[in-house]
Structures are given as C-alpha cells and as structure tokens.
Amino acid sequence: MRYDFGSDNTAGMAPAALQGLIAANEGYARAYGADDVTARAADQIRQRLDADAEVRFVFSGTAANSIALSMLAWPHEAVLAHHAAHICTDETGAPGFFGQGVGLVGLPGFSGKIELAALQAALDEPEVSHRQPAAALSLTQSTEYGTVYTEEELRHLIEPVKAKGYGVHMDGARLANAAAAGFDLTQIARLGVDILVFGGAKAGANCTEAIVMFDKSLARRIDNRLKQAGQTASKGRFLAGPFLGLLESKAWEDGGAHANLMAQRLAAGVSSNTSFALAHPVEANAVFVRMSPKAHQRLNDLGWACYRFDDGSVRFVCSWATREEVVDELLEAMRGL
C-alpha cells in the first residue's frame, strides 16, 4: 500500500525539520523547555502572528486542542464546533477527558465551515440546568474539508461569540496551508482568538504542536497543567527544534505552498481527465472526490491509500513531500477505474 495521499501525517519529517532536530542535539541545554532553542522557536511563531503571546510546545495536536479547550470551558459547559471538526470526530473524547467533562456541540455548515445561522441559533439557546451551555467556539483553519475561512467569515463567527463573553480556540493543524492560500496570520489575534494551536506535524515536523495563548491570563499555571497532562518534555528542545528548523528556513511556508499546489494539480486532473467529480472546493492541501465504494476499493487494491470521509467522499491529502509525477500516476490510476 502506498501512503502518498493517505494523510499529510504519512509523510516523514521535512529536511529543514530534521536539521533543526540535529542542531538542537548539539551540546547541553537547560531542561523542560527553558532552553534557547525553545525560546527562539517561540519567537519565530510570535513574529509570524505579529502578537505577544505565551507559547508552549506539546507532543500532539489532540493534547494541544484538548488542553486549550479546558482553559476556555468549565466541566459543566460545552464548546461549539463544526460537526466534522477533529475535536468532534477524531479525538476519542479527549476534550472531555482533559476538561473533566467539557462537552462538544457539533454545528452544520458546508465544506467544513460553520454556518453562521446555526452558530447564532446555538448562541440563542436558553440556558437550562439539564444541558451544558456553550462557553467557547472552536474553529479549524484550514478546515477538515480543505477549505479556508476568509478573514470576513471568521469575523462574522467570532464577533457574536465574543459579545457573549465566550472564548475562541483555533485548531491550526494545517495553518501552514491556510497561510499559503492567502490567509493573513497576523489577523488571528486581532480577530479575537484567545488560544491557537500552531501546527507542526502536518507541516513537516515530528509529532509536535505549539499552544499559543494570546490571552495571557490563560497561561496562569500552564506549566503545571502541562506537567500533569504528561505534556512536559524533559528535553523540550527536541519538540521545538524541528519547529525552529522549519520556521527559520521558511520551509514551514514553502511546504504548505507546495502541498497546496499539488492539491490543485490533482484537482485539475480529476475535473478534466477522469469520470469523477470534486465534492468540495480545493483551497488548501486536501482533495475530496465523489467515488463509489467499488471504485474506492479498486484504487486501494492498486495500492493507493485514500480515506472515505464522513460525507461519503474520498479524501486525498497532499504534503510537503508530494511529487508531481506521483500526482500524475494517481490520476492515471483513477482514469483506469
């Protein structure tokens, strides 16, 4: 089985990330994230966001999202999110686990974007003692369906949430792809996002993500929280080193741009040279194709890993490592189905 398009998690570490890891391994350094590598990587993130923020590096996106949400909602409260968001479909109740009972309310919306009317309806729900009231909104950029929120779309979603005094979290596992698609990272804090997960693994790092707290009050005792959650690395520089390599070399941006370009190449080929149809707009690094179960199985039998998503379409994900000739090979296989 080939894993070229199974997920952007199936690609290895980008060379710049590996070099950053090797560089971090030189000599001795202070433990538990108090080292220069970690400080420099955090500065690189702050520069891109043009914001003063507390930054911590953790082992996984699931932990990053769940710990972030536990800062925004009490155990008797809930977080609003798109029903296909990773926190709702792929984290095995981790937000509730880390949040000691925090609930999730899934909202509808085309192609992974929350529908404004549905959000407003959820915000207008009367508070009763028998269900968890909303306390925060979680947004995914780029979305699980490979679309990218515009600044205006985000503002319309965030403003009514902030007007209620609720918190806002952004899952940026594929933030590099959103940035490559034209999303201005410097607007995240200005739009009112309280806490961001700045993606590393899908951008070419190892299994590392950054929790970025724009609201510094959230950082009170954050190191105690991370330690208790098993997310404090004794050799913290090995979480930050790959980030530093990607960011200082601009490979974080370049990899996202390349992945998006490969997705556009694949989407164009599907539309013009196969009998299949695209299921969603292709704005980042994911391509969703309407394909029968029989055709999907045949493609798997030919060795191409691809995943059937919850709307029934088949997902192909490009990464920093995707090559043009492999995209063309996949298209040739699809034409033969």
Side-chain angles (χ1 to χ4, degrees):
M1 179 66 73
R2 302 182 60 146
Y3 294 94
D4 303 70
F5 301 95
S7 168
D8 36 9
N9 286 321
T10 65
M13 290 176 66
L18 275 172
Q19 188 56 48
L21 187 62
I22 293 168
N25 194 49
E26 290 295 319
Y28 294 85
R30 295 182 68 184
Y32 299 106
D35 58 276
D36 290 340
V37 171
T38 299
R40 288 165 56 199
D43 281 342
Q44 286 285 328
I45 290 174
R46 283 188 280 263
Q47 288 172 22
R48 278 164 174 76
L49 300 171
D50 191 27
D52 187 20
E54 287 286 336
V55 181
R56 297 294 187 277
F57 298 94
V58 296
F59 295 100
S60 78
T62 294
N65 285 332
S66 301
I67 291 170
L69 295 176
S70 75
M71 299 179 193
L72 299 177
W74 291 101
H76 57 279
E77 296 174 327
V79 175
L80 304 173
H82 192 277
H83 68 79
H86 205 268
I87 59 171
C88 293
T89 63
D90 289 280
E91 296 186 355
T92 322
F97 175 78
F98 281 92
Q100 299 180 313
V102 166
L104 298 171
V105 177
L107 301 176
F110 289 113
S111 300
K113 293 182 177 182
I114 294 173
E115 181 183 279
L116 180 57
L119 172 64
Q120 193 61 61
L123 294 174
D124 291 341
E125 280 282 328
E127 291 191 12
V128 298
S129 61
H130 297 280
R131 59 176 178 262
Q132 292 170 296
L137 171 68
S138 178
L139 297 160
T140 307
Q141 182 75 315
S142 57
T143 74
E144 296 295 335
Y145 280 102
T147 54
V148 178
Y149 282 107
T150 66
E151 180 185 333
E152 183 179 6
E153 288 172 330
L154 289 173
R155 181 176 292 107
H156 287 317
L157 293 172
I158 291 172
E159 282 182 351
V161 171
K162 301 299 283 190
K164 298 274 287 188
Y166 299 165
V168 178
H169 156 262
M170 180 174 284
D171 179 353
R174 295 186 174 96
L175 193 60
N177 304 102
F183 178 63
D184 184 357
L185 300 183
T186 67
Q187 295 303 310
I188 296 175
R190 293 165 190 155
L191 285 165
V193 174
D194 297 293
I195 188 163
L196 163 72
V197 175
F198 191 101
K202 291 176 171 61
N206 50 352
C207 300
T208 180
E209 311 290 319
I211 299 176
V212 182
M213 293 157 279
F214 300 111
D215 178 354
K216 288 194 170 184
S217 69
L218 298 175
R220 181 175 180 269
R221 296 178 176 169
I222 180 61
D223 296 315
N224 305 81
R225 186 188 292 261
L226 293 175
K227 182 69 171 178
Q228 186 183 65
Q231 290 295 316
T232 301
S234 57
K235 298 183 180 182
R237 65 190 185 277
F238 295 129
L239 293 182
F243 256 113
L244 185 60
L246 288 171
L247 294 170
E248 284 193 336
S249 67
K250 304 293 193 296
W252 189 82
E253 288 88 350
D254 292 344
H258 174 79
N260 289 9
L261 186 62
M262 293 300 98
Q264 291 293 335
R265 185 183 185 92
L266 176 57
V270 169
S271 296
S272 62
N273 292 312
T274 76
S275 60
F276 302 108
L278 298 177
H280 300 280
V282 179
E283 298 172 351
N285 65 318
V287 179
F288 291 81
V289 179
R290 294 292 179 202
M291 183 178 291
S292 71
K294 182 178 179 181
H296 181 210
Q297 184 59 55
R298 178 60 181 149
L299 201 58
N300 284 168
D301 291 343
L302 292 171
W304 295 97
C306 45
Y307 172 62
R308 186 169 293 278
F309 223 62
D310 62 358
D311 73 329
S313 63
V314 176
R315 186 187 74 169
F316 301 83
V317 186
C318 299
S319 73
W320 68 268
T322 303
R323 304 191 310 276
E324 286 186 6
E325 59 269 26
V326 177
V327 172
D328 295 341
E329 287 178 35
L330 171 61
L331 288 168
E332 183 62 31
M334 293 174 71
R335 283 192 287 272
L337 294 178

